[in-house]
Amino acid sequence: MVGILITFDGPDGGGKTTQLGLLAEHLRRSGRTVRCTREPGGTALGDKIRDLLLDPANAEMAARTEALLYMAARAQHVAEVIAPALARGEVVLSDRYADSTLVYQGAARRLAREDLVAINRFATGGVVPDLTILLDGDAATLGGRLAGRGDADRIEGEAAAFHAEVRRGFRELAAAEPERVRAVAADRGVDEVHRAVVAVVEEFLRRRAYG
Ligand code: TMP
């Protein structure tokens, strides 16, 4: 049996976590077995690495250290959660995955893309998402959502220029891989975004069933 890996990605404040939960409910109602997970994290080890990565006290962290920690969390995530669930034929929904590293550590931190692609391949063993939902929208709307959340973590607390690079990086990614990466406008009400996400996922599932 081969499952399906769907990832949600995009700039901070795009509502990925909410939309992932709503999609999971939708897919479960239609009888699918769904495993929800997130990065960095998704495992006990990964959650410890997440704490290191997001703690604003770790201001001295070098960009390469940061990239490798995200990758280390990902390697554990694939080994412990994603690959076994896919082998059981489940639908895995991940809140962020390898694309986040290409964009945050590549486009925004300016580490070499080819290095990150190679380390991603090593970390994931070649597990690539079947579909990636990119939630993006008006910068002020997304930024406003973040401001409403209270204390910023180490990445959220980066300057506006960093977040602008992140948004540009995600747009480039969607343009480079239009089949896999599907952009959904996130600067709308939760229900409206959910309907758009469901439309993209149902179309993907139909294509996959008949393709
Ligand atoms: P979250 O806020 O969506 O849970 O993600 C945590 C932060 O980590 C978010 O600001 C994006 C960032 N991040 C990276 O910089 N590189 C990565 O590879 C991943 C997965 C997340």
Side-chain angles (χ1 to χ4, degrees):
M1 274 206 293
V2 182
I4 299 171
L5 174 59
I6 300 175
T7 62
F8 281 74
D9 229 314
D12 296 270
K16 293 181 301 304
T17 311
T18 305
Q19 291 301 331
L20 186 148
L22 291 173
L23 178 64
E25 280 173 30
H26 171 86
L27 292 171
R28 284 185 182 125
R29 276 197 301 273
S30 63
R32 293 179 186 268
T33 303
V34 181
R35 179 76 158 84
C36 295
T37 187
R38 70 162 179 184
E39 287 203 358
T43 66
L45 267 178
D47 280 334
K48 289 184 188 170
I49 298 173
R50 179 186 178 90
D51 290 344
L52 280 176
L53 280 163
L54 299 186
D55 185 350
N58 293 331
E60 77 279 27
M61 191 179 297
R64 286 161 194 255
T65 311
E66 180 181 286
L68 289 168
L69 285 174
Y70 278 112
M71 297 287 192
R74 180 162 306 131
Q76 188 65 27
H77 189 210
V78 172
E80 201 178 316
V81 175
I82 296 181
L86 292 177
R88 288 192 299 268
E90 297 176 9
V91 179
V92 179
L93 303 183
S94 185
D95 188 337
R96 297 195 185 280
Y97 190 62
D99 295 315
S100 275
T101 309
L102 297 183
V103 171
Y104 282 81
Q105 282 66 52
R109 291 267 193 249
R110 302 192 186 277
L111 294 177
R113 184 187 165 82
E114 60 272 24
D115 289 343
L116 296 174
V117 167
I119 310 169
N120 252 337
R121 200 178 300 123
F122 177 75
T124 62
V127 175
V128 175
D130 297 288
L131 175 69
T132 295
I133 310 276
L134 172 57
L135 291 177
D136 194 6
D138 173 60
T141 309
L142 269 56
R145 285 186 191 148
L146 281 185
R149 267 187 219 165
D151 290 347
D153 64 38
R154 198 177 56 86
I155 304 282
E156 288 166 353
E158 285 289 342
F162 178 91
H163 291 290
E165 285 303 305
V166 166
R167 306 186 70 234
R168 193 182 56 77
F170 275 119
R171 279 198 298 274
E172 278 181 14
L173 185 83
E177 287 189 70
E179 273 284 300
R180 174 177 70 86
V181 183
R182 304 291 304 275
V184 171
D187 46 5
R188 304 182 274 176
V190 169
D191 291 344
E192 215 180 327
V193 178
H194 174 57
R195 281 194 295 275
V197 168
V198 166
V200 168
V201 171
E202 292 293 346
E203 191 222 17
F204 163 80
L205 292 173
R206 270 195 303 276
R207 261 193 291 130
R208 193 172 152 112
Y210 300 114

